[in-house]
Amino acid sequence: MEIAIEVLVFLFIAAAIAGFMDTLAGGGGLITIPALVVSGVPPLAALGTNKLQSCFGSGTASFLLFKRKKIHWQELRPMMLAAFIGSVAGTVIVQFIDTRVLGFMIPLVLVIIAAYFITAPYLKLESPEPRMSAGLYQKTVLPAIGAYDGMFGPGTGSFLAVAGVSLRGLALINATAIAKPLNFATNIASLIVFIFAGQIMWLAGLTMIVGQILGAWLGSHYLFKVNPKILRILIVTICLLMLGQYWYKQFVA
């Protein structure tokens, strides 16, 4: 599939906006996947290409956290493996879903995640004590979230952080830090499968990586200066507008 220059420009801008907002409030996938879908990229290729650019962000964050010794490899290695395996399974499964069904499922899942993204800050899920043992958490919750990331993706980092807080009794800042390498494990696992399946639009993905870098750099300069609640509303609004355009083109026009 050849991509017109104006489409690449659109994807670059979308990725830059996603990188900017993701740095400040999270939820960048709610912009990048709809942008790919609206651009006419086939559903599987949209998911695969999004993984290409997602790996860059989660990988960079994980590297910096390990380097600064905020998290430790020996502790996280088995957890990352569990998340990796789950993501491989989810990505393999999604390859066998009919593209017409997938074309409907992706926007539907994104709407559900958008609703969660708006309401999540108001959910009181903190637990002072672990509600689940480390072993059970590693064998069930992490592979399940990994499978979701392999199949769809947006919101995975948030799900991992919320699971750490609500099920393992972690402080939010610690759960968020641990979520980064776990999310990188799910991203890289999914990306490997998508590469072997030939579902990566390389030019689009590389263009979006550049946009993400620019957006993240700009976002880092506005950290703590912008109200995250307003950004969350903007992210969801952009997501729903693009999905509305997609549904109109698919089912009305």
Side-chain angles (χ1 to χ4, degrees):
M1 173 184 172
E2 292 187 3
I3 303 180
I5 186 66
E6 58 267 24
V7 173
L8 289 175
V9 171
F10 168 70
L11 291 175
F12 172 83
I13 294 172
I17 293 172
F20 177 81
M21 294 188 169
D22 202 41
T23 301
L24 300 172
L30 288 172
I31 295 176
T32 53
I33 292 182
L36 285 160
V37 170
V38 167
S39 298
V41 177
L44 276 176
L47 293 175
T49 304
N50 186 63
K51 282 296 172 214
L52 176 63
Q53 57 106 32
S54 295
C55 278
F56 183 87
S58 60
T60 301
S62 300
F63 172 77
L64 292 174
L65 286 168
F66 279 124
K67 184 179 180 181
R68 295 169 183 168
K69 300 188 184 303
K70 300 294 184 182
I71 51 178
H72 304 285
W73 169 249
Q74 292 298 329
E75 176 188 349
L76 290 179
R77 183 172 58 183
M79 297 172 67
M80 291 176 69
L81 179 60
F84 184 97
I85 292 171
S87 183
V88 169
T91 311
V92 170
I93 290 170
V94 82
Q95 307 299 318
F96 296 96
I97 299 178
D98 186 283
T99 54
R100 290 172 296 179
V101 175
L102 199 58
F104 175 79
M105 285 180 62
I106 290 175
L108 180 62
V109 169
L110 289 172
V111 169
I112 294 171
I113 299 304
Y116 163 79
F117 189 67
I118 286 291
T119 58
Y122 305 101
L123 301 177
K124 302 299 181 183
L125 299 172
E126 295 84 355
S127 173
E129 298 293 333
R131 293 171 174 160
M132 182 179 289
S133 69
L136 184 60
Y137 181 77
Q138 183 176 310
K139 293 176 182 177
T140 58
V141 176
L142 292 182
I145 296 177
Y148 163 76
D149 193 31
M151 294 184 71
F152 299 106
T156 299
S158 177
F159 294 157
L160 288 166
V162 167
V165 169
S166 60
L167 299 178
R168 293 294 300 143
L170 299 175
L172 180 58
I173 189 168
N174 292 336
T176 301
I178 290 172
K180 296 301 182 183
L182 295 179
N183 201 178
F184 175 66
T186 59
N187 279 338
I188 198 70
S190 184
L191 177 62
I192 291 170
V193 176
F194 275 121
I195 288 174
F196 276 105
Q199 297 292 350
I200 306 290
M201 306 289 290
W202 290 100
L203 182 57
L206 294 172
T207 300
M208 294 179 79
I209 285 174
V210 177
Q212 282 274 1
I213 294 171
L214 175 62
W217 179 81
L218 289 172
S220 67
H221 287 73
Y222 284 89
L223 205 57
F224 307 120
K225 296 179 181 179
V226 182
N227 188 334
K229 293 180 181 179
I230 295 176
L231 281 179
R232 283 175 173 264
I233 294 172
L234 283 174
I235 290 168
V236 171
T237 300
I238 293 170
C239 171
L240 295 179
L241 284 173
M242 287 193 287
L243 290 178
Q245 182 184 356
Y246 170 77
W247 267 321
Y248 178 81
K249 289 167 61 179
Q250 291 292 110
F251 304 111
V252 179

